[in-house]
């Protein structure tokens, strides 16, 4: 559960600071329904604000429902695209929510909001004297640094040195401090080690560890879950025949996004939740080790916030397919091939730039899921595009240098092998026993290494009303704290 006990003295200081800096904090209900819930005054002021501006007003853009423009946008329905069957090779409708239209170009700004704001509005975090530490494989610390800046908090970003240049370049402009740990996205243990060192040596730091913060879970349960349901309902209302919500597939980093599946399964009880990982070192599928190139997704541990008991399937994606499709979707020869040979229209091809590497992997998970469950044209599978190709331009350059210019022949081969050739291999449906086996892996990371109580681990399995189900209900209480905070700054 998220600790919501209030420290009145620190809370008073946080309110004073927010008043001085002009910070108004949005509620969960505003992030879920910005068009209906955000005041006309705020909307009017957003008309003059850029999507990435370091302006506290942009806290109101921590939502899937931003108008997809760089400046001055307001709100509409969730931003999503549907993947044409000509591309996916399956009849099922694959719906992808687009993270590009969040400030920072990635939805992780929401996960970091979910972690920081409850501590700020309870006074557990002191915005005047403490620094917020954001351990991450990249985007979470970008989101955390961004939110920190908007909330007038100093940020320390921790990320592996091997992450893309784009991430480091932008972070330098926002975070007070950047710490690069050894390795790449596979080296989560190195990040945990750094966190432990900071916890022991820096008294001014509060760690926001996305892998264990239930605020991450709650944000996705409430905001991403509802946005996917809205996308599905808008498709259903426009479709002549039956529409069935078949499930969600998400590759997992912190497993925060997976929480959306918990809401969707409650709303559509026959739907399923699949977790994706990299074939090169899949943890759930085969306790693998090594490294992979799907930036943002982790491995070799099970995040604390992953509701494994509610996860129906694990799917491993070969990172060679994701990298091949990154080129197919973004190189000129690839785009021309998709229009002239695969029959996509220009807009459909343009939309493919909304996919970062993990987004492509999510699409591949959906294809495998659809093939395994033999889904038809009335079935909808949903996923998210966490970030877009904008974060990986340097990777495209590297691939060009490494493999040469991309040709029509490469496009044909990649389309056949990495898309149409996807099959229902490298996946497993998780039985009760298999889920329990995966859940038990949390013991090593979280109880043995990170010092959590074994009773908490057991709560996640045997007494979910004290863990995931309990957290799901905390949004109302947090919203009341946020409303009270805003009222006391006098800014609203
Ligand atoms: C690009 C990218 N994809 C996927 C993920 C995984 O999302 P989650 O941490 O919610 O599992 C992340 C997480 O940081 C990410 O940055």
């Amino acid at each position: 559960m998220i600790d919501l006990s209030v420290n009145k003295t620190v809370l008073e200081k946080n309110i004073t600071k927010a008043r001085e800096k002009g910070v108004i904090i949005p509620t969960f209900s505003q992030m879920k329904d910005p068009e209906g819930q955000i005041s006309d005054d705020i909307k009017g002021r957003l008309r003059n604000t850029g999507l990435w501006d370091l302006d506290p007003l942009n806290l109101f853009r921590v939502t899937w429902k931003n108008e997809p423009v760089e400046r001055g946008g307001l709100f509409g329905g969730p931003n999503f695209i549907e993947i044409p069957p000509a591309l996916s090779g399956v009849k099922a409708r694959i719906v992808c929510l687009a993270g590009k239209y969040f400030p920072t170009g990635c939805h992780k700004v929401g996960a970091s909001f979910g972690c920081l704001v409850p501590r700020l509005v309870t006074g557990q975090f002191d915005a005047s004297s403490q620094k917020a530490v954001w351990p991450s494989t990249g985007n979470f610390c970008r989101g955390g640094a961004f939110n920190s800046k908007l909330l007038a908090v100093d940020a320390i970003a921790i990320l592996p040195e091997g992450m893309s240049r784009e991430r480091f370049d932008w972070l330098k402009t926002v975070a007070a401090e950047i710490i690069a740990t050894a390795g790449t996205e596979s080296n989560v243990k190195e990040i945990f080690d750094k966190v432990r060192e900071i916890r022991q040596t820096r008294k001014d730091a509060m760690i926001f560890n996305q892998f264990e913060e239930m605020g991450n879970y709650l944000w996705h349960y409430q905001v991403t879950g509802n946005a996917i349901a809205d996308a599905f309902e808008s498709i259903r209302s426009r479709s002549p025949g039956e529409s069935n919500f078949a499930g969600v597939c998400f590759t997992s980093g912190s497993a925060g996004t997976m929480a959306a599946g918990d809401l969707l399964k409650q709303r559509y009880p026959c739907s399923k939740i699949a977790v994706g990982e990299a074939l090169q070192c899949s943890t759930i599928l085969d306790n693998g080790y090594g490294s992979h190139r799907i930036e943002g997704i982790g491995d070799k541990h099970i995040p604390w916030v992953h509701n494994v008991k509610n996860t129906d399937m694990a799917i491993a994606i070969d990172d060679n397919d994701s990298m091949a499709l990154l080129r197919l979707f973004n190189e000129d020869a690839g785009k021309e091939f998709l229009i002239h040979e695969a029959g996509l229209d220009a807009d459909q091809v343009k939309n493919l730039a909304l996919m970062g590497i993990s987004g492509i992997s999510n699409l591949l998970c959906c294809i495998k899921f659809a093939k395994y469950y033999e889904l038809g044209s009335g079935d909808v599978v949903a996923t998210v595009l966490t970030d877009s190709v904008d974060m990986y331009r340097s990777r495209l350059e590297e691939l060009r240098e490494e493999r040469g210019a991309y040709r029509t022949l490469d496009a044909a081969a990649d389309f056949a092998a990495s898309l149409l050739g996807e099959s229902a291999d490298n996946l497993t449906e998780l039985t009760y026993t298999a889920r329990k086996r995966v859940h038990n892996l949390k013991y090593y990371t979280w109880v043995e290494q990170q010092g959590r109580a074994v009773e908490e681990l057991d709560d996640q399995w045997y007494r979910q009303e004290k863990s995931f189900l309990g957290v799901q209900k905390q949004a109302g209480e947090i919203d009341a704290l946020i409303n009270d905070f805003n009222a006391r700054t006098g800014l609203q």
Side-chain angles (χ1 to χ4, degrees):
M1 299 283 287
I2 302 171
D3 178 6
L4 296 178
S5 53
V6 172
N7 178 329
K8 285 188 181 164
T9 316
V10 177
L11 176 57
E12 203 52 57
K13 286 201 305 187
N14 289 349
I15 290 169
T16 306
K17 187 158 189 197
R19 187 183 304 122
E20 282 164 15
K21 302 285 180 185
V23 175
I24 308 173
I25 304 176
T27 58
F28 277 91
S29 85
Q30 286 173 320
M31 291 183 284
K32 281 194 282 188
D33 175 22
E35 175 55 24
Q37 303 283 325
I38 294 177
S39 71
D40 288 342
D41 173 48
I42 302 265
K43 284 183 191 157
R45 289 157 61 197
L46 282 169
R47 281 265 175 240
N48 300 313
T49 315
L51 184 63
W52 287 48
D53 286 1
L54 293 169
D55 182 323
L57 266 184
N58 265 337
L59 290 167
F60 285 90
R61 289 199 172 115
V62 181
T63 172
W64 290 97
K65 298 179 176 174
N66 291 314
E67 214 178 304
V69 292
E70 281 181 20
R71 234 198 132 66
L74 294 182
F75 308 105
N79 290 306
F80 70 90
I81 56 168
E82 225 187 295
I83 304 299
L87 188 76
S88 66
V90 294
K91 290 191 196 122
R93 301 178 75 165
I94 299 178
V95 170
C96 307
L97 258 63
K100 176 182 161 107
Y101 303 111
F102 280 85
T104 75
C106 176
H107 72 59
K108 296 294 294 188
V109 75
S112 65
F113 178 101
C115 297
L116 177 56
V117 165
R119 303 257 187 101
L120 198 67
V121 298
T122 51
Q124 291 170 21
F125 176 79
D126 186 339
S128 315
S129 65
Q130 286 186 294
K131 290 190 169 60
V133 182
W134 302 101
S136 151
T137 53
N139 280 323
F140 178 70
C141 70
R142 291 174 63 249
F146 184 84
N147 280 330
S148 301
K149 192 88 176 171
L150 270 44
L151 289 159
V153 164
D154 278 343
I156 302 177
I158 305 181
L159 73 168
E161 62 191 358
M163 302 313 290
S164 74
R165 201 172 65 215
E166 287 85 340
R167 286 176 164 85
F168 280 99
D169 288 349
W170 181 85
L171 265 174
K172 282 182 200 147
T173 66
V174 184
E177 212 176 307
I178 302 172
I179 298 173
T181 51
T184 62
E185 58 281 322
S186 287
N187 299 85
V188 176
K189 168 77 165 54
E190 286 75 357
I191 300 173
F192 286 162
D193 290 345
K194 180 55 76 180
V195 165
R196 203 198 326 230
E197 181 194 312
I198 291 179
R199 198 172 271 139
Q200 283 160 359
T201 54
R202 293 191 58 165
K203 295 285 167 266
D204 66 336
M206 183 177 276
I207 317 278
F208 292 92
N209 185 351
Q210 58 170 336
F211 301 96
E212 65 176 322
E213 290 278 343
M214 282 296 170
N216 179 11
Y217 175 90
L218 179 63
W219 192 84
H220 282 293
Y221 174 85
Q222 289 286 343
V223 184
T224 306
N226 276 290
I228 292 176
D230 289 349
F232 171 65
E233 291 303 336
S234 84
I235 285 178
R236 173 144 75 179
S237 67
R238 284 184 272 120
S239 308
E242 280 276 294
S243 289
N244 165 51
F245 191 78
V248 286
C249 303
F250 304 117
T251 49
S252 160
S254 68
T257 316
M258 298 288 301
D262 285 0
L263 177 120
L264 291 157
K265 218 198 253 191
Q266 288 162 349
R267 199 154 302 170
Y268 309 105
C270 293
S271 66
K272 294 188 186 297
I273 301 175
V275 59
E277 39 182 15
L279 181 66
Q280 277 66 18
C281 43
S282 49
T283 307
I284 298 176
L285 211 60
D286 55 13
N287 304 149
Y289 55 88
S291 60
H292 65 87
R293 288 171 293 175
I294 307 174
E295 296 187 35
I297 73 168
D299 43 86
K300 300 190 276 289
H301 77 113
I302 303 299
W304 181 253
V305 304
H306 184 175
N307 187 359
V308 180
K309 199 175 184 184
N310 206 23
T311 305
D312 301 284
M313 175 176 273
I315 304 174
I317 298 300
D318 188 335
D319 70 5
N320 289 308
D321 289 327
S322 308
M323 299 314 279
L325 296 181
L326 184 73
R327 299 194 88 194
L328 175 68
F329 292 172
N330 294 289
E331 293 284 2
D332 288 343
K335 291 189 271 190
E336 278 157 27
F337 174 88
L338 290 173
I339 292 174
H340 300 302
E341 304 297 334
L344 270 65
D345 66 36
D347 282 340
Q348 288 170 331
V349 170
K350 198 168 148 218
N351 281 340
L352 300 177
L354 290 171
M355 296 188 197
I357 301 170
S358 73
I360 293 170
S361 309
N362 281 347
L363 166 64
L364 295 177
C365 286
C366 292
I367 293 172
K368 284 174 169 291
F369 180 93
K371 287 196 170 167
Y372 181 87
Y373 287 114
E374 303 176 292
L375 300 184
S377 56
D379 294 310
V380 175
V381 194
T383 190
V384 298
L385 310 176
T386 304
D387 59 11
S388 70
V389 70
D390 294 343
M391 288 299 137
Y392 306 97
R393 302 267 174 214
S394 61
R395 294 289 183 234
L396 281 167
E397 274 170 40
E398 286 162 17
L399 287 167
R400 224 169 282 142
E401 272 165 34
E402 201 182 291
R403 301 179 189 177
Y406 199 70
R407 302 157 304 160
T408 309
L409 199 61
D410 299 312
D414 290 340
F415 181 65
S418 298
L419 264 173
L420 302 189
E422 278 301 336
S423 66
D425 61 356
N426 299 319
L427 57 77
T428 185
E429 248 184 325
L430 295 165
T431 60
Y432 180 87
T433 322
R435 293 175 204 202
K436 184 93 190 287
R437 176 178 52 71
V438 176
H439 165 83
N440 289 348
L441 287 175
K442 287 188 182 181
Y443 178 84
Y444 305 102
T445 306
W446 299 107
V447 178
E448 249 184 22
Q449 292 171 25
Q450 302 297 321
R452 298 198 80 108
V454 77
E455 290 74 23
E456 288 181 275
L457 184 67
D458 288 344
D459 285 347
Q460 287 197 354
W461 193 263
Y462 296 110
R463 295 171 289 275
Q464 288 218 325
E465 68 288 351
K466 287 186 165 181
S467 57
F468 299 107
L469 294 177
V471 173
Q472 291 168 10
K473 298 193 188 105
Q474 288 187 291
E477 213 179 322
I478 297 172
D479 276 0
L481 288 162
I482 294 172
N483 282 328
D484 184 53
F485 186 97
N486 289 335
R488 290 168 68 185
T489 59
L491 294 172
Q492 204 171 15

